[in-house]
């Protein structure tokens, strides 16, 4: 019977709608991660790889060739509007290991693996034949009529040692009008048990279960690759979230700057009416308002774009009720990251323990190493031990129309079907044979080429593994450099913002005592707005650098409190701190 798979559920999770308050989607970073685990379509698609890998294992248990599982890791998001730190993240979401599962050209090569599923064949027929004879002397009648009823059945099964067992059974009832038959109808049955065992090529569990071993490794790789995909997805969501925070804070800064510019324009217009200031001062104020309005429009567009990006990754399907609502980030700053204080050596050790790619490469290397042994079996000659045992039984009532001599018409055969069946299996008419057959390919060039290629592929895999180790170490160093740079930028931007704040405060005080014009204070406020935007941009880059170093060390899930079982189920039990 065909297997069925439940229909797709493309409805957004209930959590998404529960977070909407007053027409706004208010989310923390943990909420965003939880929504991604529940709704992200990349993860939803990847979850099908688990039953695919299980189905592949079932296929190989029946002797089928392993099909492999596509476990490539997908970049789930596009970049939002917002600055990022220099360096770092060179391989943030790329899959350099296990990008197609362990599915290689020479992998699994070796002696042919038989099917381990049992097969039952059955054939039955009724045949009636009428033959006009040229010479009555041959069959005793001018028209020979024959009725034949026959049943043939076969059961065959192979086993992991290479052993094949076949059982054949034939039953026949033959009736005719010929007077030269001693019995009529004649009942006949026969059975055979045939055993074949390869002794060289095709012998052994390792050879015949190699596809099973590969399928089991693919199960492990699928599990590891899913963890890698979850890390990539969570990292992408973190970066999108901090881009959203940056855009949200930038709108607040630009809004305050526009409000101050409008207030300054209003105050100066009143002073112009009193002829206390020149017209040029008001024109400068109007120019500042226009500039602030343009800056706010751009900031709002950036915020709208970042809202669109993050909602795209947090939903399964477009929902008109979600598309237009604003997104309000609740976490404006991340907490401390333990990876900030670790040395390069400590970070590399952490990555070696936690990054799924490392385990994927080890699994792949182990399978390739075993494959070299399996393919050697096919280089051996085919030497098979075979034997069979069979028995037969014949029965039938005496032909009352027998036209031969009494001695020729006499018979000692049993007359009924049970007696015939008993004689078939009681060793009264045994037949048995034991032998060997040997087949030697005197050059065997195809297998030699495959074996040589398998060794070359293994050597390439060793180089790839070393490349992966170098890439991993470079990735960690690059991420740490990016984090150091981001920290320095935050410190510098914070000092610049504090200085701009002091300058604005001083200008405001001097304006109050008449020592400085409102326009000068407006210029100081514009400088403060620029410094604040630069600080928020630097802070966003710093948070993204922390997310990237967590990815580089494989600690993303631990730091964000993501349970891999929740990710597999697509349902987050609860938000974890």
């Amino acid at each position: 019977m065909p297997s069925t798979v439940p229909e797709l559920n493309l409805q957004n999770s209930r959590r998404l709608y529960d977070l909407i308050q007053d027409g706004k989607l208010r989310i923390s970073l943990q909420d965003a991660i939880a929504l991604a685990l529940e709704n992200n379509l990349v993860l939803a698609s990847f979850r099908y790889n688990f039953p695919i890998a299980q189905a592949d294992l079932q296929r190989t248990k029946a002797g089928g060739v392993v099909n492999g599982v596509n476990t490539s890791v997908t970049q789930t998001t596009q970049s939002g509007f917002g600055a990022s730190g220099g360096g770092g993240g060179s391989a943030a979401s790329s899959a350099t290991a296990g990008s197609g599962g362990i599915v290689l050209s020479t992998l699994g090569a070796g002696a042919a693996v038989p099917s381990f599923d049992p097969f039952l064949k059955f054939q039955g027929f009724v045949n009636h034949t009428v033959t006009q004879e040229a010479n009555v002397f041959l069959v005793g009648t001018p028209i020979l009529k024959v009725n034949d009823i026959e049943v043939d059945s076969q059961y065959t099964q192979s086993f992991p040692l290479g052993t094949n067992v076949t059982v054949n059974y034939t039953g026949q009832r033959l009736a005719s009008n010929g007077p030269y038959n001693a019995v009529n109808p004649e009942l006949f049955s026969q059975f055979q048990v045939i055993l074949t065992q390869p002794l060289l090529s095709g012998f052994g569990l390792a050879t015949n279960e190699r596809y099973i071993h590969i399928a089991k490794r693919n199960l492990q790789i699928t599990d590891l690759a899913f963890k890698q995909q979850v890390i990539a997805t969570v990292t992408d969501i973190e970066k999108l979230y901090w881009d959203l925070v940056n855009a949200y804070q930038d709108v607040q800064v630009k809004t305050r700057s526009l409000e101050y510019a409008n207030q300054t324009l209003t105050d100066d217009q009143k002073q112009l009416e009193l002829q206390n200031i020149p017209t040029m001062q008001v024109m400068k104020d109007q120019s500042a308002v226009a500039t602030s309005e343009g800056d706010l429009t751009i900031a709002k567009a950036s915020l709208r774009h970042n809202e669109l990006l993050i909602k795209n990754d947090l939903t399964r399907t477009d929902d008109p009720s979600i598309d237009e609502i604003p997104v309000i980030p609740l976490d404006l700053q991340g907490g401390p990251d333990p990876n900030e204080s670790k040395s390069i050596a400590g970070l590399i050790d952490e990555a070696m323990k936690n990054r799924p790619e490392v385990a994927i490469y080890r699994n792949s290397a182990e399978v390739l190493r075993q494959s070299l042994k399996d393919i050697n079996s096919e280089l051996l000659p085919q030497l098979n031990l075979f034997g069979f045992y069979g028995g037969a039984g014949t029965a039938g009532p005496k032909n009352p129309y027998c036209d031969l001599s009494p001695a020729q018409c006499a018979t000692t055969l049993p007359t009924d079907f049970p007696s015939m069946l008993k004689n078939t299996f009681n060793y009264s008419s045994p037949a048995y044979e034991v032998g060997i057959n040997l087949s030697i390919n005197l050059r065997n060039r195809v297998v030699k080429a495959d074996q040589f290629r398998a060794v070359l592929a293994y050597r390439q895999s060793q180089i790839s593994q070393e490349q992966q180790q170098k890439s991993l170490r470079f990735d960690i160093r690059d991420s740490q450099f990016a984090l150091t740079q981001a920290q320095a930028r935050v410190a510098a931007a914070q000092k610049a913002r504090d200085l701009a704040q002091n300058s604005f405060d001083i200008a405001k005080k001097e304006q109050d005592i008449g020592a400085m014009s409102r326009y000068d204070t407006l210029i100081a406020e514009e400088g403060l707005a620029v410094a604040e935007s630069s600080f928020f941009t630097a802070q966003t880059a710093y948070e993204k650098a922390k997310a990237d170093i967590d990815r580089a060390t494989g600690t993303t899930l631990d730091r964000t409190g993501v349970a891999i079982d929740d990710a597999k189920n697509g349902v987050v039990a609860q938000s974890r701190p």
Side-chain angles (χ1 to χ4, degrees):
M1 298 297 292
S3 300
T4 59
V5 178
E7 292 293 330
L8 292 178
N9 176 16
L10 294 178
Q11 297 299 314
N12 296 317
S13 64
R14 185 66 239 170
R15 181 189 304 269
L16 181 66
Y17 301 97
D18 292 341
L19 293 172
I20 298 176
Q21 300 175 7
D22 301 327
K24 298 178 180 179
L25 178 60
R26 302 177 184 273
I27 58 172
S28 64
L29 178 58
Q30 285 299 130
D31 293 331
I33 292 173
L35 287 171
L37 296 181
E38 292 178 344
N39 296 321
N40 187 270
L41 291 179
V42 172
L43 292 179
S45 177
F46 203 109
R47 292 185 188 102
Y48 282 101
N49 287 335
F50 292 108
I52 287 174
Q54 287 288 352
D56 212 27
L57 178 59
Q58 294 302 315
R59 188 177 196 276
T60 59
K61 285 182 177 180
V65 177
V66 62
N67 284 331
V69 186
N70 182 6
T71 55
S72 57
V73 174
T74 304
Q75 177 75 37
T76 61
T77 63
Q78 302 176 8
S79 298
F81 290 166
S84 59
S90 59
S93 298
S94 61
T96 56
S99 59
I102 42 181
V103 188
L104 304 176
S105 59
T106 57
L107 186 64
V113 176
S115 173
F116 301 141
D117 281 346
F119 285 87
L120 180 62
K121 298 179 181 179
F122 176 84
Q123 175 182 277
F125 62 87
V126 176
N127 181 36
H128 177 70
T129 304
V130 178
T131 306
Q132 188 173 6
E133 299 294 338
N135 192 324
V136 178
F137 177 77
L138 295 176
V139 295
T141 180
I143 297 178
L144 179 64
K145 299 179 181 181
V146 179
N147 289 326
D148 184 13
I149 301 175
E150 185 171 330
V151 174
D152 298 312
S153 59
Q154 182 185 75
Y155 176 90
T156 182
Q157 185 171 4
S158 296
F159 300 91
L161 280 176
T163 309
N164 177 268
V165 176
T166 301
V167 179
N168 296 317
Y169 178 80
T170 299
Q172 185 181 39
R173 180 185 185 277
L174 189 65
S176 74
N177 64 339
Y180 292 170
N181 297 324
V183 296
N184 189 31
E186 181 181 354
L187 306 177
F188 174 79
S189 70
Q190 181 184 36
F191 88 97
Q192 282 184 328
V193 178
I194 305 171
L195 180 69
T196 304
Q197 175 63 58
L199 301 178
L200 293 177
S201 178
F203 171 79
L205 295 176
T207 294
N208 293 294
E209 290 187 344
R210 63 183 185 274
Y211 297 139
I212 298 176
H213 298 153
I214 294 173
K216 288 181 177 179
R217 290 285 182 178
N218 269 342
L219 272 174
Q220 298 173 4
I221 285 180
T222 301
D223 196 62
L224 292 166
F226 180 72
K227 181 180 178 181
Q228 189 181 359
Q229 180 65 70
V230 173
I231 289 175
T233 301
V234 171
T235 301
D236 290 337
I237 293 299
E238 286 186 279
K239 292 181 178 181
L240 274 187
Y241 184 85
W242 294 121
D243 281 337
L244 175 67
V245 169
N246 185 19
Y248 176 78
Q249 291 176 319
D250 195 47
V251 167
Q252 310 306 311
V253 172
K254 298 299 193 295
T255 299
R256 290 196 299 268
S257 183
L258 177 60
E259 290 174 351
Y260 191 83
N262 279 323
Q263 183 62 48
T264 301
L265 175 61
T266 300
D267 293 343
D268 282 351
Q269 285 174 336
K270 293 178 180 178
Q271 292 297 318
L272 179 62
E273 292 175 358
L274 299 174
Q275 298 183 346
N276 291 334
I277 59 174
T279 304
M280 182 62 69
Q281 180 68 45
V282 174
M283 295 176 64
K284 290 180 180 180
D285 293 342
Q286 290 172 337
S287 176
V289 169
T291 300
S292 296
E293 287 176 343
D295 291 342
L296 179 58
T297 300
I298 294 173
K300 286 182 176 180
S302 174
L303 176 60
R304 184 75 181 92
H305 181 75
N306 279 275
E307 289 174 343
L308 177 65
L309 286 175
I310 199 166
K311 282 190 286 188
N312 183 62
D313 268 23
L314 302 186
T315 56
R316 292 181 193 166
T317 186
D318 290 334
D319 186 340
S321 66
I322 300 294
D323 290 344
E324 301 302 324
I325 65 174
V327 182
I328 308 299
L330 301 180
D331 296 327
L332 302 182
Q333 187 174 355
D337 192 317
N339 286 321
E340 295 180 83
S341 58
K342 292 182 180 178
S343 64
I344 285 288
L347 293 175
I348 291 176
D349 290 341
E350 194 79 19
M352 289 297 180
K353 291 187 296 182
N354 296 323
R355 280 187 69 157
E357 301 97 311
V358 176
I360 288 174
Y361 262 101
R362 287 173 183 166
N363 273 342
S364 300
E366 182 60 33
V367 170
L368 288 172
R369 190 181 301 112
Q370 181 60 43
S371 181
L372 296 180
K373 300 177 182 179
D374 296 337
I375 200 172
N376 287 339
S377 171
E378 198 174 8
L379 292 170
L380 300 173
Q382 292 183 353
L383 177 63
N384 294 336
L385 173 67
F386 68 89
F388 79 85
Y389 170 81
T394 306
K398 186 176 180 179
N399 185 1
Y401 304 106
C402 182
D403 197 18
L404 301 174
S405 66
Q408 291 175 320
C409 291
T411 178
T412 59
L413 291 177
T415 60
D416 55 0
F417 178 82
S419 299
M420 175 211 67
L421 195 62
K422 177 181 178 182
N423 289 340
T424 302
F425 296 99
N426 67 359
Y427 201 70
S428 60
S429 301
Y432 44 83
E433 180 181 356
V434 176
I436 61 171
N437 59 58
L438 176 64
S439 176
I440 302 175
N441 187 330
L442 296 180
R443 301 190 69 180
N444 212 8
R445 286 178 290 177
V446 172
V447 179
K448 278 287 293 181
D450 288 346
Q451 182 269 336
F452 185 53
R453 180 170 175 171
V455 176
L456 296 176
Y458 178 62
R459 294 291 178 250
Q460 284 183 322
S461 74
Q462 290 178 309
I463 295 175
S464 297
Q465 188 169 8
E466 183 58 31
Q467 286 177 322
Q468 187 250 5
Q469 301 293 332
K470 287 184 63 179
S471 176
L472 184 146
R473 289 189 287 268
F474 176 82
D475 190 17
I476 292 173
R477 290 188 176 93
D478 198 29
S479 296
Q480 190 187 53
F481 292 155
L483 182 62
T484 302
Q485 291 173 348
Q487 287 175 314
R489 289 191 179 96
V490 169
Q494 186 168 10
K495 290 180 181 179
R497 185 191 65 172
D498 293 342
L499 289 173
Q501 181 69 56
N502 292 335
S503 297
F504 174 72
D505 292 341
I506 292 172
K508 194 75 171 61
K509 290 179 181 178
E510 291 186 355
Q511 174 193 319
D512 292 340
I513 63 176
M516 186 174 289
S517 68
R518 286 186 177 83
Y519 180 72
D520 292 331
T521 307
L522 178 61
I523 295 298
E525 195 282 331
E526 289 177 352
L528 174 60
V530 171
E532 285 183 328
S533 293
S534 297
F535 171 72
F536 291 138
T537 297
Q539 197 171 50
T540 296
Y542 174 54
E543 296 297 344
K544 292 166 73 172
K546 289 195 296 184
D548 192 66
I549 200 169
D550 291 336
R551 172 207 56 79
T553 55
T555 57
T556 299
L557 304 187
D558 290 336
R559 191 185 61 79
T560 56
V562 172
I564 198 67
D565 288 339
D566 289 350
K568 287 181 179 179
N569 295 330
V571 177
V572 179
Q574 59 183 1
S575 296
R576 295 171 173 80

